Amino acid sequence: MNATNAPAKPPFWRDPEKRALAFQIVFLAIVLYIGYSLVNNTMTNLASQGIASGFGFLSTNTGFAIAETLIDYNESSTYLDSFFVGLLNTILVSVIGIFFATILGFSMGIARLSNNWLISRLAAIYVDTLRNIPLLLQLFFWYFAVLRPLPNPKQAIEFGSNLFLTNRGLFGPKPIYEAGFGWVAIGFVLAVIGTVVLFKWARRRQEATGELFPVYRTALALLIGLPLVIAALNGFPMSWDIPVLKGFNFRGGMSLTPEFSSLVFALSIYTSSFIAEIVRSGILAVDQGQTEAAFALGIKPAWTTRLVVVPQALRVIIPPLTSQYLNLTKNSSLAAAIAYPDLVAVFAGTALNQVGQAVEIMGMTLAVYLFLSLTISFFMNWYNSKMALVER
């Protein structure tokens, strides 16, 4: 066939690929134009109202104090410092809340399937009660009805001679690290590394020989024993700062405020009720024949649950469990309701009211929660891939 007989190329608007590309370019241009219009309109309105824009305010002094900080902070610190104070407080509450919610949720989920009638019914009451009451009301209950009515510091409830419970918090001894404690910290890190190596070795040993190794007891002895031996060799380089009642409150030591405790209680218990149902459904998804086969091999019930049922149930549990971790982290923003200084209360609350730059402050706050959620999702997806069934 010569060139004169070759079929003519269709015009580009009849070529599906070129037409799709053109539509995408037009759509992208519209989105960019809308975004530009929004930003330009916002900046124009801010300028007309005399409101400054930009991030220069981050280097100016705040002039306000924050009750709970994990880093050095005072009234002369900058707004950027207040941002990090709120961020660290948010991360602290989220991490502790996830830790306790996971333990409580797994315990209650397994208890729901117990053959003991009383234990299963109590677990059912726990789940059905807590997951049907709004989180904000539970937060108010712990703060206003449980912790705030406690006695004042002068009538504090004493536990021993060093622990005091009052309406201003729980006060206890604070460790003071002295010279040589760094070796103890190094010993603990080595113990953690040794524990990871021990778990991997024990798993390979079990897969090769079928014999179990007392890995938990050995790991616990390693984590406690190695730092303790190093501390003894260095003369126990740590002392304690004991809280003492001075005036109207305790001074020194370490304290847990009612705001922090209420927030952790409410987040942990509320989220654990949902995790319990996820765990129960995950265990029920494992075929009953797996349990019967384990019993037929003479494996004890506790070992059957830990070694046979739970590892298979995790493949069902992990995806919805990720959603609960994300919910807990985002729900920590309710801290503002009881004046706990998290990111929303400090940065999107007090700082915003002072500088009035809502676009910059809310943009940073939204970006932080997005980053935290994506980080949790990334880690849980990685863990889910590690627990996925591997075909051989």
Side-chain angles (χ1 to χ4, degrees):
M1 181 179 296
N2 55 36
T4 56
N5 295 329
K9 291 184 178 180
F12 76 90
W13 61 84
R14 291 187 177 178
D15 187 333
E17 293 184 359
K18 292 180 180 177
R19 193 168 57 230
L21 180 62
F23 283 140
Q24 292 179 49
I25 293 174
V26 171
F27 180 76
L28 179 62
I30 293 174
V31 170
L32 291 176
Y33 176 74
I34 293 175
Y36 168 77
S37 300
L38 287 174
V39 173
N40 185 54
N41 189 45
T42 302
M43 300 302 291
T44 303
N45 289 335
L46 290 175
S48 64
Q49 296 177 17
I51 300 176
S53 59
F55 294 91
F57 73 94
L58 291 175
S59 59
T60 59
N61 296 339
T62 60
F64 62 82
I66 300 177
E68 298 179 54
T69 65
L70 296 176
I71 58 176
D72 291 335
Y73 178 88
N74 53 47
E75 290 84 348
S76 61
S77 298
T78 64
Y79 284 104
L80 185 60
D81 295 327
S82 70
F83 169 78
F84 284 115
V85 169
L87 173 61
L88 291 176
N89 284 344
T90 294
I91 293 175
L92 177 66
V93 166
S94 300
V95 171
I96 295 177
I98 287 174
F99 175 77
F100 285 113
T102 303
I103 294 177
L104 280 172
F106 269 77
S107 302
M108 289 298 163
I110 294 174
R112 285 270 280 146
L113 299 172
S114 173
N115 294 325
N116 187 303
W117 184 88
L118 181 60
I119 291 177
S120 64
R121 291 301 179 277
L122 288 176
I125 292 172
Y126 174 91
V127 171
D128 289 336
T129 302
L130 293 174
R131 72 173 179 171
N132 290 311
I133 297 177
L135 174 59
L136 185 59
L137 293 183
Q138 294 191 38
L139 183 59
F140 285 160
F141 170 78
W142 286 107
Y143 184 65
F144 292 111
V146 177
L147 297 181
R148 294 301 296 177
L150 289 173
N152 60 49
K154 289 187 177 180
Q155 285 81 39
I157 301 172
E158 299 185 18
F159 301 94
S161 57
N162 299 326
L163 203 60
F164 308 95
L165 182 62
T166 76
N167 59 0
R168 297 190 180 183
L170 178 66
F171 297 85
K174 178 182 179 181
I176 305 297
Y177 306 115
E178 301 171 353
F181 190 81
W183 291 108
V184 180
I186 293 173
F188 180 75
V189 173
L190 292 176
V192 171
I193 296 173
T195 301
V196 174
V197 174
L198 178 66
F199 269 87
K200 291 185 176 180
W201 172 82
R203 176 175 292 182
R204 287 197 298 268
R205 179 175 182 267
Q206 182 184 352
E207 291 175 352
T209 65
E211 297 180 3
L212 290 175
F213 184 80
V215 64
Y216 289 103
R217 282 176 288 177
T218 308
L220 185 63
L222 183 63
L223 289 171
I224 297 175
L226 183 58
L228 194 63
V229 169
I230 296 177
L233 294 175
N234 286 275
F236 293 99
M238 187 175 71
S239 57
W240 297 93
D241 179 18
I242 307 298
V244 178
L245 181 62
K246 293 182 178 179
F248 296 102
N249 202 359
F250 285 92
R251 306 295 179 189
M254 186 169 57
S255 65
L256 294 177
T257 64
E259 292 80 11
F260 174 83
S261 302
S262 302
L263 186 59
V264 170
F265 282 155
L267 288 173
S268 303
I269 294 174
Y270 178 76
T271 308
S272 70
S273 63
F274 291 91
I275 293 178
E277 285 300 273
I278 293 172
V279 171
R280 186 175 70 91
S281 62
I283 292 176
L284 290 177
V286 178
D287 190 270
Q288 184 64 22
Q290 298 287 318
T291 303
E292 294 172 355
F295 289 163
L297 292 173
I299 301 177
K300 298 177 181 178
W303 289 8
T304 300
T305 302
R306 182 166 63 88
L307 300 176
V308 177
V309 177
V310 172
Q312 297 184 72
L314 280 177
R315 295 167 189 145
V316 180
I317 291 172
I318 291 174
L321 186 65
T322 304
S323 298
Q324 294 306 317
Y325 288 169
L326 296 176
N327 288 338
L328 188 147
T329 303
K330 290 179 286 189
N331 287 338
S332 68
S333 60
L334 291 175
I338 56 172
Y340 176 73
D342 76 325
L343 183 65
V344 174
V346 172
F347 196 63
T350 308
L352 175 58
N353 289 331
Q354 288 195 353
V355 301
Q357 294 189 222
V359 176
E360 294 82 357
I361 288 180
M362 291 310 301
M364 292 175 66
T365 306
L366 293 173
V368 164
Y369 278 97
L370 179 62
F371 174 76
L372 293 178
S373 297
L374 291 177
T375 302
I376 293 172
S377 297
F378 174 79
F379 174 77
M380 293 301 292
N381 289 336
W382 168 82
Y383 184 61
N384 190 33
S385 66
K386 298 288 288 185
M387 297 302 297
L389 190 63
V390 179
E391 299 201 9
R392 301 176 180 174

